Amino acid sequence: MNKTITYQIPIGPIHPALKEPVMFEFEIEGEKIKDVDVHLGQVHRGIEWAGMRRNSIQILYLAERICGICSYSHPAAFTLAVERIAGIEVPERAEYLRVIQAELERICSHILWAGVAAHEIGFDSVLFLTWQIREKALDLTEYLTGNRVTKAIMMIGGVRRDITEDMLPTIRKSLDFLKENFEKLRKVFLDDKTVQMRTKNCGILTKEDALKLCAVGPTTRASGVKKDARLDQPYFAYNELDFDYVTPDVLTGEVNGDVYDRIIVRLLEVKQSIDLIEQCLDRMPSGEILAEPKIQKLLIQLKKAEGEAIGIIEAPRGEDIHFVKLVGEEHPHSWKVRAPTYNNILPWIPMLKGEQIADIPIVAASTDPCMSCTNRVAIVKNGHRDILLAEDLHRLSVEKTRRLMK
Amino acid sequence: MDIGTVSITILTVIFGAIGVTLFGIIIGLLYKGIDRKIAAHMQGRVGPPIRQPFLDVIKLFVKENIVPDNAIPWVFHLAPIIGLIASITILLYLPIGGFPAVLDGIITSKGDLILLLYLLIIPSLALVTGGFSSGSPYAIVGAQREMATMIAYEFPLAIIIVTIAWRLSLMQNVSHVFTLSTITSIPLWNILGPLGFIGMILLLLTLIIVTPAELSKIPFDAPEAETEIAGGLLVEYSGRNLAMFYLTDAVKTVAMGSIIIALFFPYNLSPILSMNGYPAYIIDFLFYLLKLFLVILFSVTLIRVGVARLKIDQIVYTYWVPLTLLALIGLICIMWDQTIMTQFGIPSVVEILGLT
């Protein structure tokens, strides 16, 4: 019998494997995935639209709500863009403090991801282990910013809270705890036989595909592409710190681009982040933490600013880009967010093709997708949804650019 | 047989069946609660209260019972009932807590164990039929996986049972080697030499690893895999039907535990303490509950918190290659044990340890 019958399985928009709404349509033959299609657009919330009706400082707090996990990266990218437009010089101490916050967010995000990944392969014990470790990281976040998730620490021209001398022992103690437990986590993830059985040679993204599809963040680094906004276009104080691209060959000597490699990259990045925070604590100069402490004065300065700029941040999931255009009004004329997950959607297709149904959750989770970040556009006309093809999108963007240039 | 004995027999069977059903459900749910609590503590959580499974079942029974539009209603409703009945029937054939099996000497035949092998398949088959009849792609994938798992673990399981029966058949004065009363009255540990002892340990290990697949527990829960196929076989079940599958699972856990106890640990405390009468029944029953708890702890709880879920091809491979080999090595050890013992005059392990 050579004739095989394929059948369709819909995964999503709501499915236990997916933490956020996204829709996959799979063409399955037996247990094998023949074809896959991704449908987006289930969680568009119109944040940019809301942002264009607020002033730049209000947008900081709105940008935090783009994504619960990257709640520092989004306002940071927005701030970078606005500071470039308005020519605001940030005090050096603030640049270091910003690095500390960014790396702390990376630790929280990667450990959370590790737990989710373990849950996807049915290893709930590890999920709870990672949650316990993450709890300490969140405690540290709360200690530094006053909040656990939406940190509200970013301010145009600096940060809102300083790290004083008497806070250092607590920070170092938390970092030591993280370092100790990192070793435990590394052992569970990289040496456990069942984790290896589920993640090795599964969901492979080749270096060529990663380059062709413009994957970003740990997803692309796991395929051996040396791409990291912190090193490529240094911002904050990253140019003064010692670190390097994290690729899986650092640990194993080879690059496979599979889920296992993505686990390696993220785990090593946790270690790197702890190291970066320590470097910052050691090298941080004393001084001001805000360029302009008076908000009203800052708002007036921003109101006068004109121009457009891009802010690029290496968020935990990859490169996060914010485009801002100010035209001398209270609210920005244009604000566009391109979250890292947007680039990591297309790599799903080569990763998933040829795999089994059982691999779907872990492969989908391995890029650490964040749908709320990604969904920037929804077109609903007269009650029915349309799918726009490449030509339509090109035409629309040309129209929009013309409109913006007026 | 006069009418008096017949009616007494019938009454024993009826009351015994009711008793065993209640026992299976209550102890099954209780152990489910304990299992969840222990697993929670091992994972650093507080966990649900031990009575949680009872509350779950009660709640499910009062919930709405939804039948999907493209399901086949009568099969969909029949499957959970068959599953529950079959798993209770298994218990009727097993000696529980020092008491002989309810059906012992009444409908038992020369092939109890073989019948048990088939009865163990029925709850899984009920799940498969229920899954196929519910008309959901997730359930169909789950049903296919359940069938593959069944085919996979049946082979090592059969080797274990055949080995034990074959070893018993070598002994003099033993007939009906497949009946459970024979197996429980002559524990193999007592007669085997060192090599056979190792063989028995290997067989026990295999049976412990077969148990999670029989009960659809991690790492062999691919048919239900929550994160992959959203509960698989059970995805369309709700209300009363789901409660019945839940009970099936609880009863089946007790049944699998009791099979392991009957095959490997049929010892009782009362002869050692030289007790008889009611205290003996009580102490044996409590000892049985302890044994059941330990068996479930090792074969379900510890395994499920310690590993990740396997893919279906990995499950089939695990059972057909490493576990079948393990069981076959056990079989060979027990096979050679007899020859070595007689040829070199090695005493049995029990004699070496001076426990006779």
Side-chain angles (χ1 to χ4, degrees):
Chain A
M1 234 181 67
N2 285 325
K3 210 180 150 205
T4 49
I5 302 163
T6 60
Y7 57 98
Q8 283 88 32
I9 286 193
I11 303 272
I14 306 296
H15 187 277
L18 308 163
K19 304 300 164 229
E20 284 177 279
V22 57
M23 166 97 176
F24 291 96
E25 248 174 59
F26 287 99
E27 191 80 25
I28 307 277
E29 187 187 296
E31 282 264 335
K32 241 194 165 85
I33 299 165
K34 280 275 149 199
D35 203 5
V36 50
D37 198 2
V38 187
H39 298 265
L40 294 167
Q42 272 86 5
V43 275
H44 181 59
R45 293 167 298 164
I47 280 192
E48 288 157 331
W49 183 89
M52 282 182 254
R53 275 136 192 88
R54 280 161 173 78
N55 68 40
S56 299
I57 291 176
Q58 287 172 322
I59 289 181
L60 285 179
Y61 304 102
L62 191 64
E64 281 189 337
R65 271 77 184 171
I66 292 177
C67 170
I69 301 169
C70 308
S71 63
Y72 176 78
S73 300
H74 283 290
F78 177 76
T79 310
L80 271 185
V82 172
E83 280 168 2
R84 264 174 212 163
I85 300 170
I88 294 171
E89 200 68 38
V90 181
E92 213 183 337
R93 186 175 175 82
E95 297 283 37
Y96 277 95
L97 290 170
R98 285 176 171 188
V99 171
I100 293 176
Q101 296 298 341
E103 294 308 316
L104 196 54
E105 178 173 273
R106 197 178 315 279
I107 293 171
C108 290
S109 170
H110 282 350
I111 294 180
L112 178 127
W113 175 83
V116 171
H119 175 65
E120 303 287 13
I121 56 172
F123 207 158
D124 281 349
S125 304
V126 181
L127 165 73
F128 294 116
L129 175 73
T130 56
W131 243 241
Q132 278 166 11
I133 299 171
R134 181 171 174 265
E135 190 61 28
K136 286 280 175 193
L138 284 179
D139 284 348
L140 183 58
T141 314
E142 190 184 357
Y143 185 62
L144 294 182
T145 67
N147 293 306
R148 282 160 63 88
V149 180
T150 42
K151 302 165 190 92
I153 185 83
M154 198 44 133
M155 177 51 65
I156 293 166
V159 289
R160 295 181 61 211
R161 278 199 192 195
D162 198 1
I163 295 179
T164 51
E165 201 64 39
D166 56 316
M167 289 166 93
L168 289 178
T170 319
I171 300 172
R172 290 204 194 273
K173 222 173 96 190
S174 302
L175 290 178
D176 285 342
F177 173 87
L178 288 176
K179 259 191 273 183
E180 275 164 36
N181 281 276
F182 168 79
E183 198 49 36
K184 212 190 225 169
L185 206 59
R186 193 196 62 82
K187 220 182 244 164
V188 170
F189 263 105
L190 301 184
D191 301 344
D192 187 89
K193 187 85 178 65
T194 43
V195 173
Q196 287 183 9
M197 277 168 90
R198 287 300 306 268
T199 55
K200 273 196 170 169
N201 293 320
C202 157
I204 291 178
L205 180 69
T206 57
K207 192 172 178 178
E208 293 74 51
D209 279 341
L211 286 169
K212 196 171 72 190
L213 299 170
C214 300
V216 290
T219 311
T220 194
R221 287 195 286 276
S223 299
V225 181
K226 298 205 173 202
K227 187 158 144 188
D228 190 331
R230 291 175 292 174
L231 288 153
D232 300 337
Q233 296 128 317
Y235 51 94
F236 299 165
Y238 280 113
N239 48 358
E240 289 163 44
L241 302 170
D242 306 321
F243 66 110
D244 199 8
Y245 301 96
V246 176
T247 44
D249 48 332
V250 178
L251 193 77
T252 56
E254 53 177 4
V255 177
N256 297 318
D258 52 9
V259 176
Y260 189 68
D261 278 359
R262 271 163 240 150
I263 295 177
I264 294 176
V265 167
R266 286 203 173 84
L267 284 179
L268 292 181
E269 282 189 17
V270 170
K271 207 176 177 187
Q272 188 188 51
S273 295
I274 298 172
D275 182 50
L276 281 173
I277 293 178
E278 286 183 329
Q279 285 186 32
C280 286
L281 290 177
D282 292 337
R283 299 183 189 178
M284 210 159 43
S286 53
E288 289 294 311
I289 55 161
L290 271 175
E292 179 50 68
K294 289 204 176 68
I295 303 269
Q296 287 308 328
K297 218 171 154 192
L298 180 66
L299 268 178
I300 292 165
Q301 192 185 351
L302 290 175
K303 210 171 161 183
K304 284 182 204 145
E306 265 183 67
E308 54 184 56
I310 281 175
I312 298 179
I313 291 275
E314 182 74 15
R317 289 154 171 149
E319 193 185 52
D320 180 19
I321 299 177
H322 281 230
F323 166 79
V324 182
K325 185 177 178 183
L326 299 177
V327 287
E329 286 170 21
E330 185 163 8
H331 48 258
H333 181 260
S334 178
W335 174 36
K336 177 77 198 156
V337 180
R338 202 231 58 202
T341 307
Y342 185 80
N343 289 41
N344 287 340
I345 285 169
L346 283 179
W348 266 339
I349 292 165
M351 278 182 207
L352 283 168
K353 266 190 192 168
E355 299 293 345
Q356 294 181 23
I357 298 175
D359 295 322
I360 295 171
I362 182 67
V363 171
S366 71
T367 67
D368 201 1
C370 178
M371 288 307 140
S372 305
C373 293
T374 305
N375 276 219
R376 299 268 69 89
V377 177
I379 294 178
V380 182
K381 237 181 204 168
N382 306 331
H384 64 89
R385 302 167 73 104
D386 273 335
I387 293 177
L388 297 179
L389 300 174
E391 304 92 72
D392 303 322
L393 285 175
H394 183 249
R395 182 174 47 78
L396 283 172
S397 40
V398 169
E399 277 171 20
K400 181 153 189 189
T401 315
R402 296 241 165 89
R403 218 162 51 232
L404 283 175
M405 281 164 69
K406 263 179 213 167
Chain B
M1 259 206 276
D2 58 81
I3 292 170
T5 32
V6 170
S7 51
I8 286 171
T9 319
I10 289 172
L11 278 178
T12 335
V13 170
I14 289 172
F15 284 113
I18 293 169
V20 165
T21 308
L22 284 177
F23 165 82
I25 288 173
I26 291 170
I27 296 296
L29 289 178
L30 181 71
Y31 279 14
K32 232 180 160 60
I34 296 175
D35 163 62
R36 282 170 71 174
K37 194 82 185 171
I38 293 177
H41 278 289
M42 283 196 274
Q43 293 172 336
R45 292 183 286 132
V46 178
I50 287 174
R51 66 176 195 283
Q52 190 61 45
F54 293 94
L55 302 178
D56 287 350
V57 169
I58 294 167
K59 180 88 183 198
L60 281 176
F61 267 109
V62 295
K63 287 279 226 180
E64 190 190 359
N65 196 4
I66 299 164
V67 183
D69 281 346
N70 47 355
I72 307 161
W74 69 272
V75 188
F76 188 77
H77 287 304
L78 195 64
I81 300 170
I82 291 180
L84 186 56
I85 292 173
S87 49
I88 290 170
T89 317
I90 302 171
L91 278 184
L92 297 183
Y93 280 92
L94 289 169
I96 283 167
F99 300 101
V102 174
L103 294 177
D104 193 26
I106 299 163
I107 343 180
T108 47
S109 61
K110 291 174 187 171
D112 278 1
L113 259 184
I114 295 173
L115 181 68
L116 268 187
L117 267 183
Y118 282 96
L119 277 176
L120 270 175
I121 299 174
I122 293 178
S124 309
L125 271 182
L127 269 170
V128 170
T129 358
F132 274 128
S133 69
S134 55
S136 149
Y138 296 134
I140 288 170
V141 172
Q144 288 166 347
R145 288 182 177 183
E146 176 74 34
M147 288 211 289
T149 317
M150 258 157 58
I151 296 166
Y153 68 68
E154 233 28 76
F155 195 29
L157 187 62
I159 294 176
I160 297 166
I161 286 173
V162 166
T163 312
I164 291 173
W166 173 82
R167 182 63 187 79
L168 284 174
S169 73
L170 289 184
M171 297 178 64
Q172 275 118 22
N173 314 325
V174 175
S175 55
H176 304 340
V177 289
F178 277 109
T179 53
L180 274 161
S181 48
T182 315
I183 290 172
T184 47
S185 60
I186 314 168
L188 274 183
W189 305 100
N190 294 8
I191 49 168
L192 288 171
L195 191 63
F197 213 77
I198 296 168
M200 273 297 265
I201 291 173
L202 292 181
L203 290 185
L204 175 62
L205 219 71
T206 318
L207 190 54
I208 281 180
I209 305 176
V210 166
T211 311
E214 189 78 66
L215 303 172
S216 284
K217 293 274 153 53
I218 288 175
F220 307 113
D221 71 334
E224 286 168 24
E226 178 225 330
T227 47
E228 292 161 20
I229 46 174
L233 294 162
L234 299 173
V235 69
E236 296 294 348
Y237 276 100
S238 55
R240 201 180 65 238
N241 284 339
L242 184 61
M244 270 196 292
F245 272 131
Y246 196 83
L247 289 177
T248 310
D249 183 45
V251 174
K252 218 176 151 189
T253 312
V254 175
M256 262 321 271
S258 302
I259 289 178
I260 297 181
I261 291 171
L263 290 180
F264 289 93
F265 310 107
Y267 301 98
N268 280 326
L269 268 187
S270 56
I272 300 168
L273 300 171
S274 54
M275 287 205 266
N276 42 40
Y278 286 109
Y281 285 135
I282 292 168
I283 204 88
D284 280 348
F285 189 70
L286 290 177
F287 186 54
Y288 163 82
L289 286 183
L290 179 71
K291 286 190 286 186
L292 191 62
F293 165 70
L294 288 177
V295 165
I296 292 173
L297 177 71
F298 280 98
S299 60
V300 177
T301 317
L302 287 186
I303 295 180
R304 91 183 166 93
V305 297
V307 289
R309 181 187 302 120
L310 297 181
K311 291 192 263 186
I312 189 69
D313 57 331
Q314 291 166 340
I315 292 176
V316 175
Y317 174 83
T318 312
Y319 281 113
W320 276 0
V321 184
L323 279 182
T324 304
L325 275 179
L326 199 67
L328 281 176
I329 293 169
L331 180 135
I332 291 167
C333 285
I334 291 176
M335 209 168 85
W336 285 348
D337 184 56
Q338 175 81 353
T339 342
I340 289 172
M341 270 171 80
T342 44
Q343 285 223 328
F344 300 100
I346 298 172
S348 75
V349 175
V350 177
E351 278 163 2
I352 296 172
L353 296 174
L355 289 175
T356 38

